[in-house]
């Protein structure tokens, strides 16, 4: 059988931090006597063959700004790929970032935090040394732009000695997105919006009227928009916009926004709903009593599942052909009227990523709110999230490719032993998180060997022998189910997801769940 291939987007952390002091001129909206200045801390947070991630902490040391432009030059051929919290352009080595719509105002001592993923030449990755704010290089201390006044100005607060907070202070009331819509996804409030990265994150709301607008700020992801249970639009990297659905009957409607794609390094941003004139936002839908958490890799995330050909290079690529909303997990939850999370990342494994890449793994990121985003932190699980069922699908990436020279396992059996130990530890974490009553189902598909199957089965036996009565395993038999794996790179297709959802739903029906 041909091996299942999964995408790897993993980083090897490095500890390269370069503090750069810069000073810049203010925009023309600032008074003539204004002082200008800023400080930049540039940090390479991760680096891997061909790619790297970096953070930039910008602090304004001058008078308040109502808009800003940060520039720098790369000297070794580095190229910015995805950037968040601003808009980037690059010409040769020269990079220009302008503020996003929500972070243009920088008071004295205030900061803006940027992050990006980029490429490098695998030889040298030096930090830029010519940062400039609004066009003028600086020294790192406020500098008057006109002759100093004859009387000393009032004292100002010293610049902060540490980087500014990575997130805005919690709002005193829920942002519109939280107040108007319901979600069980891992989201973080940022001003009047919420941010998120995990695939399949969805928001549901209700309104009365003839039209509804969906406030978004996302240039990386694709979305499905559904009204009254019907998909009315697919938004491809919509950017900063309010997307309108109009000409509806003047009645009560439901609206659902769902993130179709993966974005481990870039957050989407949802700002809530607006209605057409004469309409009203209604109370958000009540949470469903049933909850399921799906944990996994590309199969769970929906990698390339909308494609009808395994080579997606000519039909839009993997991202355009991915839809987390029609994965087996989403379909299973929807058929059971359950709320759900898809905690999935293509290419990552329990201890070993696809083809042995990277040094982190899925367990590194399981508890994070914004995955590998530069300011991600541990998600504070609310008391309202208590799934009665957790479905785990990890191990394909651990075993689907042969070991390479230099990996820490000399033999497949050593890898399998490490996999089992890590899996048992991961299950301990799930039990501590959700308690003894949650059912945990460990799934595994066909592979060209038996190590994944035997390891999962042994893990279940070990847990059962230790008194854990609510753990099971489920084998997806490719031939018996009739999977075609016509998704990108031999992944499950949309048809396969339907077949997998049927198998999983039937299996769930055999469990003594009380929900």
């Amino acid at each position: 059988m041909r091996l299942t291939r999964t995408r790897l987007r993993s980083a090897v952390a490095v500890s390269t931090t370069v503090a750069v002091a810069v000073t810049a001129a203010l925009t023309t909206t600032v008074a003539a006597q204004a002082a200008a200045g800023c400080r930049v801390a540039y940090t390479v947070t991760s680096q891997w063959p061909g790619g790297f991630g970096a953070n930039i902490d910008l602090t304004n040391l001058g008078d308040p700004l109502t808009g800003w432009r940060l520039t720098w030059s790369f000297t070794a051929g580095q190229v910015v790929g995805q950037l968040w919290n601003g808009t980037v352009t690059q010409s040769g080595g020269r990079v220009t970032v302008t503020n996003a719509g929500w972070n243009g105002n920088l008071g004295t001592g205030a900061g803006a935090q940027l992050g990006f993923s980029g490429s490098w030449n695998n030889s040298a990755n030096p930090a830029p040394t010519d940062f400039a704010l609004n066009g003028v290089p600086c020294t790192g201390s406020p500098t008057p732009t006109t002759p100093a006044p004859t009387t000393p100005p009032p004292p100002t607060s010293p610049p902060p000695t540490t980087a500014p907070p990575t997130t805005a202070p919690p709002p005193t009331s829920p942002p519109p997105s939280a107040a108007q819509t319901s979600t069980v996804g891992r989201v973080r409030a940022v001003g009047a919006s919420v941010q998120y990265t995990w695939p399949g994150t969805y928001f549901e709301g209700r309104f009365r009227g003839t039209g509804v607008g969906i406030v978004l700020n996302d240039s990386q992801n694709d979305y499905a928009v559904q009204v009254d249970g019907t998909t009315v639009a697919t938004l491809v990297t919509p950017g900063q916009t309010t997307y309108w659905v109009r000409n509806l009957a003047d009645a009560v409607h439901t609206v659902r926004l769902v993130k179709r794609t993966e974005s481990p390094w870039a957050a989407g941003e949802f700002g809530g709903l607006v209605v057409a004139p004469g309409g009203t936002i209604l109370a958000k839908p009540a949470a469903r009593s049933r909850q399921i958490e799906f944990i996994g890799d590309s199969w769970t995330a929906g990698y390339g599942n909308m494609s009808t050909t395994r080579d997606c290079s000519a039909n839009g690529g993997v991202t355009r052909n991915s839809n987390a909303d029609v994965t087996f997990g989403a379909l299973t939850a929807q058929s059971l009227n359950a709320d759900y999370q898809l905690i999935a990342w293509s290419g990552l494994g329990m201890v070993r990523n696809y083809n042995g890449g990277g040094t982190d793994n899925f367990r590194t990121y399981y508890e994070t709110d914004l995955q590998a985003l530069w300011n991600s932190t541990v998600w504070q699980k609310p008391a309202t999230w208590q799934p009665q069922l957790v479905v785990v699908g990890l191990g394909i990436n651990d075993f689907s490719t042969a070991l390479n020279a230099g990996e820490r396992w000399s033999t497949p059996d050593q890898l399998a032993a490490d996999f089992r130990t890590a899996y048992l530890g991961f299950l301990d974490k799930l039990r501590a998180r959700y308690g003894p009553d949650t059912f945990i189902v460990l799934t595994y598909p066909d592979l060209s060997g038996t190590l994944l199957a035997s390891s999962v089965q042994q893990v279940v036996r070990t847990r059962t022998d230790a008194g854990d009565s609510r753990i099971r395993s489920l084998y997806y038999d490719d031939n018996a189910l009739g999977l075609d794996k016509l998704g990108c790179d031999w992944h499950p297709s949309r048809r396969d997801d339907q077949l997998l959802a049927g198998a999983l739903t039937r299996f769930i029906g055999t469990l003594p769940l009380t929900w």
Side-chain angles (χ1 to χ4, degrees):
M1 172 184 162
R2 187 168 179 173
L3 296 178
T4 301
R5 296 162 51 196
T6 10
R7 174 176 52 183
L8 174 63
R9 302 185 67 187
S10 179
V12 181
V14 295
S15 57
T16 303
T17 302
V18 180
V20 184
V22 292
T23 307
L26 297 178
T27 62
T28 56
T29 59
V30 180
Q33 298 294 326
C38 75
R39 179 175 63 244
V40 166
Y42 177 90
T43 306
V44 175
T45 57
S46 55
Q47 189 166 288
W48 60 97
F52 72 103
N55 293 343
I56 297 172
D57 284 328
L58 166 66
T59 304
N60 175 29
L61 303 182
D63 285 357
L65 296 174
T66 59
W68 52 266
R69 182 182 74 258
L70 183 68
T71 58
W72 70 86
S73 297
F74 283 125
T75 60
Q78 302 101 316
V79 176
V80 175
Q82 296 180 351
L83 180 138
W84 40 96
N85 297 344
T87 301
V88 65
T89 59
Q90 183 168 351
S91 177
R94 189 65 172 172
V95 179
T96 301
V97 176
T98 55
N99 59 272
W102 49 268
N103 65 357
N105 293 326
L106 287 183
T108 302
Q113 295 77 44
L114 311 175
F116 67 87
S117 59
S119 61
W120 67 301
N121 60 15
N122 294 324
S123 176
N125 189 11
T129 57
D130 64 340
F131 285 96
L133 182 64
N134 292 341
V136 178
C138 321
T139 62
S141 59
T143 303
T145 58
T146 61
T150 57
T151 57
T156 59
S157 300
T161 57
T162 59
T166 57
T167 58
T172 55
S173 60
S177 50
Q180 298 171 344
T181 58
S182 61
T183 183
V184 297
R186 297 187 182 184
V187 300
R188 178 191 291 183
V190 179
S193 303
V194 291
Q195 291 183 336
Y196 44 87
T197 61
W198 291 100
T201 302
Y202 60 91
F203 304 89
E204 297 176 317
R206 299 169 62 246
F207 67 98
R208 177 184 291 107
T210 60
V212 64
I214 298 169
V215 181
L216 276 170
N217 184 10
D218 192 344
S219 299
Q220 305 295 333
N221 292 287
D222 298 352
Y223 292 83
V225 178
Q226 297 156 358
V227 175
D228 299 333
T230 300
T231 299
V232 298
T234 297
L235 309 183
V236 177
T237 60
Q240 189 168 357
T241 187
T242 299
Y243 178 80
W244 281 93
V245 180
R246 303 184 188 273
N247 300 318
L248 301 171
D250 192 358
V252 173
H253 301 279
T254 61
V255 60
R256 183 173 184 263
L257 174 74
V258 57
K259 179 175 178 283
R260 291 171 43 129
T261 46
E262 293 187 72
S263 57
W265 290 278
E269 194 170 304
F270 173 53
L273 305 174
V274 291
V275 289
T280 305
I281 299 293
L282 302 176
K284 61 186 179 183
R288 297 171 177 87
S289 61
R290 297 177 174 181
Q291 296 180 337
I292 309 175
E293 181 169 301
F294 296 92
I295 297 171
D297 48 36
S298 54
W299 279 45
T300 304
Y303 177 105
N305 59 345
M306 301 300 288
S307 180
T308 56
T309 175
R310 293 165 184 145
D311 183 356
C312 296
S313 59
N315 68 345
V318 172
T319 300
R320 298 290 87 77
N321 282 286
S322 298
N323 187 355
D325 198 41
V326 294
T327 56
F328 69 87
L331 295 176
T332 297
Q334 292 161 18
S335 71
L336 295 170
N337 192 31
D339 277 321
Y340 63 94
Q341 290 183 356
L342 301 182
I343 308 302
W345 191 334
S346 294
L348 298 191
M350 182 65 73
V351 295
R352 180 177 184 261
N353 301 326
Y354 177 73
N355 201 31
T359 57
D360 52 4
N361 51 55
F362 182 87
R363 292 176 296 129
T364 308
Y365 300 99
Y366 167 69
E367 293 182 288
T368 60
D369 56 356
L370 300 178
Q371 288 180 269
L373 197 62
W374 62 277
N375 61 343
S376 184
T377 187
V378 174
W379 183 57
Q380 300 302 312
K381 183 186 79 67
T384 53
W385 181 245
Q386 186 63 36
Q388 299 96 339
L389 175 64
V390 175
V391 180
V392 186
L394 290 170
I396 297 175
N397 293 303
D398 297 82
F399 294 104
S400 64
T401 56
L403 291 170
N404 301 305
E407 293 193 55
R408 69 174 188 262
W409 307 279
S410 300
T411 67
D413 286 338
Q414 290 178 353
L415 168 63
D418 198 9
F419 175 84
R420 291 190 295 270
T421 298
Y423 215 144
L424 289 167
F426 187 65
L427 293 175
D428 287 339
K429 177 177 290 186
L430 293 179
R431 276 285 172 243
R433 189 179 185 90
Y434 296 128
D437 295 332
T438 295
F439 266 95
I440 303 176
V441 177
L442 313 187
T443 66
Y444 57 98
D446 278 329
L447 283 176
S448 55
T450 61
L451 282 178
L452 174 58
S454 61
S455 293
V456 171
Q457 292 164 5
Q458 184 171 331
V459 166
V460 171
R461 286 196 300 271
T462 300
R463 297 288 307 190
T464 301
D465 292 345
D468 191 341
S469 63
R470 296 202 166 209
I471 190 163
R472 303 284 191 278
S473 64
L474 172 61
Y475 165 53
Y476 294 131
D477 188 327
D478 292 8
N479 292 326
L481 291 173
L483 304 186
D484 57 37
K485 293 186 180 175
L486 286 176
C488 299
D489 302 323
W490 287 83
H491 280 75
S493 64
R494 182 174 184 179
R495 171 184 173 274
D496 291 346
D497 271 317
Q498 293 169 342
L499 295 172
L500 290 166
L504 179 57
T505 303
R506 290 190 296 272
F507 182 80
I508 292 172
T510 68
L511 301 176
L513 283 162
T514 54
W515 60 3

